[in-house]
Amino acid sequence: MTFPGFPVTDVGAHMVRQRTLILLRWMAIAGQVAAILVASQVYGLQLPLGLCALAVGLSVVANLVLIMLFPETRRLSEAEAFLTLLFDLGQLAFLIFLTGGLTNPFAILVLAPVTISASVLRLRFTLVLGALAILAVSAATAWHLPLRFADGTALVIPGIFAFGFWLSIVIGILFLGLYSRRVATEMRHMSEALLATQMALAREQKLTDLAGVVAAAAHELGTPLATIKLVSAELIEELDAQPELQEDARLIRAQADRCRDILRDMGRAGKDDLHLRQAPLSAVVREAAEPHLSRGKRVDFAFAPTHDGETEQPSILRRPEVIHGLRNLVQNAVDFARSSVWIEGEWTARRIIVRITDDGDGFPPGLIGRIGDPFVRARRSDPEAEKRPGYEGMGLGLFIAKTLLERSGAELSFANATDPFLSPKERPERSGAVVEAVWDAADLIAPTTQGGLGQNTRIEG
């Protein structure tokens, strides 16, 4: 399912505010100043304080320039965010060079710019930044100013320890970069899919609201139309001596009758007509499936009570999320069915069940547990792509259906009607996917009203 104008991207552009990176840089500056002071004043290590102050001062100047030139709420483009993180990586690499290279335990902080990049930037930017971070760490193993104690003795660590520290940083860059990117990408996909769900629900809600407006208009126009008919009838009687004016009066009455008929056809007379908000289970399910009944596949409906269910169908709320969610499930079944789709409705005293089955190939067994996640294609892609060359699904259809129906209180289950590995001759007629939605009756059945719906106001002739 696609939405025109709705981009599904893998981009984190304009997601980071300048203020966020400035705040992170101030925190890094405070930490660097504290580490330099403690190392030199408390532990007596000999550090090139002038050069260290220069390295920290560059970050301070960069922050002050950004604060003065741009508003803090400004969102950075990808190139700007990349250059900002590249500056931070370079400043940190310079500071590590001044303070002992990999003998400085704070060298592990080179992970920070790469992790941030993996969370918000494109893959190519992250790869460049990660490669530069690994290069900087590798260079620091060979070229750095050694740390010296107060007596001038250089701090030397065993080679195996230095190699292990270097290896841990490299693995950390690769692992945390990949992990952060994976999590951030899934979060963006989930956010985009939820936005698509909200768009679909808003569209359905507008249609429902429009029906209410039509009913209200029909009710409110009843009285003035009745008045027009009454006055026109009196004019017809009084204008016997003036045939031309009498004909105009007849035309007015005829047009009032036409307005009455139009309003009757548009909806129920009476803006509180409960039929706009509830209908029998079969009517709601058929309404949901209606757009897909003429797509060349046979769609069979069956509705019956089970166990202690009453003979009469329950009247349920015509909730937009229920109609749109079921519509997406029917669309998915029709898309992948060979020739037939079965839609069954069942009810008991406590539950309402809607089951949709098709005669297609079913869900891949390895994906059944992930069905309903956004951007997961729920059926076999290659064979179905040949059958449906125009299909451009993103896996959003089942996600939207699952989200909307669960919002209405439904519990969804996905399964295959038979073993998908059976040969075509061994499969029964209902051999494809089975999707079942189960509601507690209290969540879906329309509340009963005392005295029924009442009689709608009608425009009398």
Side-chain angles (χ1 to χ4, degrees):
M1 178 176 183
T2 60
F3 291 86
F6 177 71
V8 179
T9 65
D10 187 42
V11 182
H14 305 290
M15 293 181 61
V16 180
R17 290 186 302 173
Q18 177 179 285
R19 178 181 179 181
T20 301
L21 293 184
I22 288 177
L23 179 59
L24 290 175
R25 187 177 289 163
W26 282 127
M27 295 173 62
I29 290 171
Q32 291 170 3
V33 171
I36 292 171
L37 291 178
V38 170
S40 60
Q41 303 301 320
V42 177
Y43 293 103
L45 296 177
Q46 296 181 9
L47 299 176
L49 296 179
L51 293 176
C52 290
L54 174 62
V56 176
L58 289 175
S59 290
V60 174
V61 170
N63 263 5
L64 294 177
V65 169
L66 291 176
I67 291 173
M68 290 186 293
L69 293 181
F70 305 104
E72 291 186 352
T73 55
R74 178 172 177 267
R75 294 191 178 274
L76 301 176
S77 67
E78 279 196 299
E80 292 169 339
F82 171 73
L83 292 176
T84 300
L85 295 174
L86 184 60
F87 172 84
D88 291 335
L89 178 62
Q91 186 264 352
L92 185 58
F94 179 52
L95 201 56
I96 291 173
F97 167 77
L98 298 176
T99 55
L102 294 190
T103 60
N104 184 347
F106 292 102
I108 198 171
L109 292 177
V110 297
L111 295 173
V114 180
T115 303
I116 296 174
S117 174
S119 300
V120 298
L121 301 183
R122 292 180 189 265
L123 180 60
R124 64 172 178 266
F125 290 113
T126 302
L127 291 176
V128 172
L129 207 62
L132 292 176
I134 294 175
L135 181 62
V137 172
S138 301
T141 60
W143 299 288
H144 60 268
L145 299 180
L147 286 176
R148 296 186 180 275
F149 295 104
D151 59 1
T153 305
L155 176 61
V156 180
I157 60 175
I160 187 65
F161 181 84
F163 173 75
F165 192 31
W166 171 84
L167 186 60
S168 67
I169 294 176
V170 171
I171 293 176
I173 291 173
L174 297 176
F175 174 76
L176 289 180
L178 178 62
Y179 183 82
S180 300
R181 179 170 180 78
R182 177 73 176 179
V183 172
T185 300
E186 289 187 358
M187 290 178 64
R188 284 197 293 271
H189 285 175
M190 184 67 71
S191 177
E192 291 169 347
L194 287 174
L195 177 59
T197 302
Q198 292 170 355
M199 291 170 60
L201 184 58
R203 182 176 60 186
E204 198 73 23
Q205 187 63 52
K206 286 180 179 179
L207 294 176
T208 301
D209 294 342
L210 181 61
V213 171
V214 170
H219 175 66
E220 297 296 340
L221 290 175
T223 300
L225 282 176
T227 303
I228 292 172
K229 285 169 59 65
L230 178 61
V231 173
S232 62
E234 294 177 354
L235 288 175
I236 291 172
E237 295 176 359
E238 295 177 0
L239 294 174
D240 288 338
Q242 301 179 3
E244 294 181 358
L245 294 179
Q246 190 182 54
E247 186 63 28
D248 290 340
R250 293 182 188 278
L251 178 61
I252 292 174
R253 178 172 181 174
Q255 294 301 311
D257 288 337
R258 184 183 177 189
C259 289
R260 176 198 62 190
D261 295 337
I262 291 174
L263 291 175
R264 282 180 176 175
D265 292 339
M266 288 174 65
R268 281 72 174 174
K271 63 182 178 183
D272 290 328
D273 190 349
L274 296 182
H275 281 301
L276 291 172
R277 300 194 298 269
Q278 67 184 51
L281 174 64
S282 60
V284 174
V285 174
R286 289 179 183 272
E287 178 182 355
E290 184 178 2
H292 306 290
L293 298 182
S294 58
R295 295 179 53 196
K297 306 292 177 65
R298 179 171 62 92
V299 180
D300 292 336
F301 294 89
F303 300 91
T306 59
H307 304 302
D308 55 350
E310 297 182 0
T311 304
E312 183 179 358
Q313 285 191 40
S315 183
I316 67 173
L317 296 171
R318 295 180 63 256
R319 298 172 63 176
E321 56 266 36
V322 173
I323 294 174
H324 198 83
L326 290 176
R327 183 168 297 164
N328 278 359
L329 293 180
V330 173
Q331 175 186 356
N332 188 74
V334 172
D335 283 344
F336 291 95
R338 288 188 174 88
S339 61
S340 302
V341 174
W342 295 269
I343 302 176
E344 301 168 296
E346 300 175 352
W347 60 91
T348 67
R350 296 183 179 181
R351 299 195 305 169
I352 294 177
I353 304 168
V354 174
R355 186 181 302 108
I356 301 173
T357 310
D358 61 65
D359 61 350
D361 291 331
F363 298 116
L367 287 182
I368 287 183
R370 297 174 56 198
I371 293 175
D373 289 346
F375 305 100
V376 172
R377 302 182 187 275
R379 301 289 185 104
R380 293 165 175 79
S381 57
D382 293 339
E384 297 303 335
E386 296 176 0
K387 296 178 184 178
R388 305 162 59 205
Y391 182 68
E392 297 179 355
M394 299 178 298
L396 276 178
L398 284 178
F399 170 78
I400 292 175
K402 187 172 183 289
T403 301
L404 292 178
L405 293 175
E406 287 180 346
R407 178 181 292 183
S408 70
E411 293 184 4
L412 268 70
S413 60
F414 302 89
N416 288 321
T418 186
D419 189 343
F421 298 105
L422 294 177
S423 65
K425 295 183 179 180
E426 296 174 327
R427 292 181 181 179
E429 185 181 18
R430 301 190 184 190
S431 59
V434 180
V435 182
E436 187 175 85
V438 181
W439 290 267
D440 287 336
D443 292 333
L444 206 59
I445 291 181
T448 57
T449 57
Q450 296 181 353
L453 298 178
Q455 184 175 1
N456 291 330
T457 304
R458 292 189 179 275
I459 304 171
E460 301 296 338

